[in-house]
Amino acid sequence: MITSRAFAGRRYAVLGLARSGLATVETLVASGAGVTAWDNREAARDEAMALNADIADPLEIDLVGFAGVVVSPGVPLNRHPIAAHAREAHVPVIGDVELFAEARADLPPHKVVGITGTNGKSTVTALVAHMLESAGVPALMGGNIGLPILSRDPLPEGGVYVLELSSYQIDLAHSLACDVAVLTNLTPDHLDRYDGFAGYAASKARLFSLQHRDQVAIVAVDDDPSRMIAGRINHRLHRVSAQDIDPADQARWPALQGPHNAQNAVCAIAVCRMLGLNDEEIERGLATYRALPHRMEWVGEAAGARWYNDSKATNAASAAPALAAFPPAPDQRLHWIAGGQAKGDGLSACRPWFGHVKRAYLIGEAVEAFAAEIGDAIPVDRAGDLVTAVAHAAAAAEPGDIVLLSPACASFDQFRDYEQRGDAFRDLVRALAGRASGDG
């Protein structure tokens, strides 16, 4: 784990004891800090006690003299009483990423890349880490992705920490000066936690205000709010755009298809150039990258078609970029599996891309609502469930076609979560491929 002398002799309160909360307790105790921890779940409190933390609710104790209250990013600071209670005691409310920032002085010399944005930040984070590792640079993903950053072993000298940062994590950081900071894009999101879109945008922009003058900002300027943020940055700034990517180059990167992945790729390329990778190393990383599970994940080929698992697209706005990724060539080639438990936003965000779809296979509770909304725009197969949808798509697909699971719905009507839905799809496709090759 990561520890630091900066915490020794100080006292912290930790509110919320899921994975990152327990990792925080362990780091602070191992660093010589005193910790008072709390979670509503008794089992979590028992785990913290086993790590030598005191157990008490930070809302019910005097916080004067504490070095910080460490909260999970899931704690809504605009509504939770801990914010006012800490403010009265003049104690900062921070997150585990801020503790990492404070521990950096004790780590071997390294770089930190911070990646934020409404969409694409997970992919850019994973892509940058992959490109660095494939070039022989020690790298570690953390923040909003993977294991808690404090639970990881420090990188050797020359390593790069690649952090995916939600707006909540930026809100909880005060000294995180990223060597390279990235904004992928900005659209309305999480407005229940902010004073409108302007408050949300200001949270993202803070990542750049925490940087020093010699550090680098990279902003994808494909949307107006991101362009506005770029216009206010007065240190080293690189503007990038999805338009900078040559389609002929992108065609060589199987896991990075579609306009949204052009933007992801151009952000990652800019980061890696700043970190000293050459063109050959960058190209190798892009060509060998495998998509994150359930995010436009190429599963393989079966029944003459290429199959993609985009189960994480749980609303229409998330599914739309996946449909956009497969235009007719020259005829429609896309078989779209959609449906599940609808979120009430319909398919309007997907409508501009209906012309890309050869046939839609509808599943789950949304079958009739989606069929009515699609109308005559696309041929519809009321498959009902994923097994049937995969079988029907396999029977209808022709060589060169694409079969895409991008449900535009939650999964809870038929699956535990989107991951179980994506795993089931992957298993069905691999069984198809196995039968075709005689392995079954």
Side-chain angles (χ1 to χ4, degrees):
M1 81 186 96
I2 290 172
T3 59
S4 174
R5 293 167 293 183
F7 310 137
R10 296 175 155 192
R11 176 156 286 279
Y12 294 83
V14 178
L15 178 60
L17 297 171
R19 285 194 312 174
S20 65
L22 287 169
T24 297
V25 170
E26 193 166 13
T27 280
L28 290 171
V29 170
S31 299
V35 177
T36 300
W38 183 256
D39 193 288
N40 291 331
R41 297 170 298 127
E42 185 177 358
R45 296 197 298 269
D46 289 345
E47 285 189 72
M49 202 182 310
L51 295 171
N52 291 321
D54 300 326
I55 304 300
D57 187 342
L59 283 170
E60 297 177 2
I61 62 174
D62 183 359
L63 293 174
V64 172
F66 276 63
V69 179
V70 189
V71 301
S72 150
V75 173
L77 295 184
N78 61 334
R79 300 192 302 274
H80 199 284
I82 191 63
H85 187 51
R87 192 162 50 244
E88 288 165 10
H90 303 288
V91 174
V93 179
I94 60 177
D96 65 328
V97 169
E98 171 60 19
L99 291 175
F100 166 75
E102 294 175 15
R104 288 184 64 187
D106 283 340
L107 298 175
H110 62 275
K111 300 282 189 188
V112 169
V113 177
I115 297 161
T116 196
T118 305
N119 296 305
K121 55 186 178 293
S122 296
T123 295
V124 176
T125 302
L127 179 55
V128 168
H130 170 75
M131 291 164 75
L132 290 168
E133 288 170 347
S134 67
V137 178
L140 184 156
M141 286 194 302
N144 204 40
I145 191 171
L147 297 171
I149 187 66
L150 295 176
S151 71
R152 309 296 296 276
D153 290 333
L155 290 170
E157 183 171 347
V160 180
Y161 296 87
V162 189
L163 305 181
E164 178 190 338
L165 299 171
S166 70
S167 56
Y168 308 154
Q169 288 168 311
I170 298 169
D171 293 341
L172 295 168
H174 305 285
S175 61
L176 179 67
C178 296
D179 297 285
V180 183
V182 181
L183 176 64
T184 58
N185 50 62
L186 204 52
T187 56
D189 201 6
H190 302 306
L191 300 188
D192 57 323
R193 291 275 291 262
Y194 295 99
D195 182 15
F197 180 58
Y200 170 65
S203 173
K204 297 290 195 186
R206 266 193 80 243
L207 182 63
F208 302 108
S209 68
L210 293 170
Q211 288 186 289
H212 303 148
R213 289 196 63 80
D214 60 339
Q215 295 176 324
V216 176
I218 294 169
V219 180
V221 291
D222 297 304
D223 60 86
D224 288 338
S226 296
R227 276 194 291 275
M228 288 179 64
I229 287 176
R232 298 187 190 120
I233 293 171
N234 57 10
H235 54 282
R236 295 175 63 194
L237 170 66
H238 291 264
R239 291 177 172 88
V240 298
S241 166
Q243 305 301 316
D244 301 340
I245 295 296
D246 185 334
D249 291 336
Q250 192 176 0
R252 298 196 300 269
W253 313 329
L256 294 166
Q257 298 304 294
H260 61 304
N261 274 319
Q263 186 181 70
N264 294 336
V266 78
C267 289
I269 290 167
V271 170
C272 289
R273 284 202 174 121
M274 288 297 110
L275 295 173
L277 269 61
N278 62 37
D279 289 349
E280 183 182 335
E281 290 167 332
I282 287 170
E283 174 64 28
R284 183 168 65 244
L286 293 164
T288 57
Y289 173 69
R290 298 285 302 202
L292 291 168
H294 319 298
R295 294 171 175 87
M296 283 289 282
E297 172 193 6
W298 180 50
V299 177
E301 297 197 10
R306 293 167 65 84
W307 297 68
Y308 287 86
N309 166 22
D310 194 38
S311 183
K312 196 175 189 298
T314 58
N315 57 46
S318 299
L323 300 185
F326 301 108
D331 300 318
Q332 283 104 339
R333 56 194 172 125
L334 181 60
H335 301 259
W336 177 30
I337 301 175
Q341 189 176 75
K343 290 185 172 180
D345 55 347
L347 289 173
S348 58
C350 295
R351 184 168 294 279
W353 314 110
F354 280 1
H356 290 188
V357 181
K358 198 172 191 176
R359 185 176 296 272
Y361 306 79
L362 302 182
I363 64 174
E365 292 175 4
V367 167
E368 293 308 324
F370 277 14
E373 192 170 353
I374 290 169
D376 297 331
I378 306 170
V380 166
D381 181 326
R382 291 173 169 81
D385 59 58
L386 191 58
V387 172
T388 306
V390 166
H392 288 186
E398 298 175 356
D401 281 359
I402 307 289
V403 185
L404 169 72
L405 170 67
S406 191
C409 278
S411 57
F412 305 123
D413 55 339
Q414 295 181 329
F415 298 94
R416 182 179 64 249
D417 51 30
Y418 77 83
E419 292 168 317
Q420 187 187 44
R421 175 172 63 191
D423 290 342
F425 177 74
R426 195 189 299 116
D427 290 344
L428 289 165
V429 174
R430 287 179 177 164
L432 268 179
R435 283 201 297 274
S437 63
D439 294 340

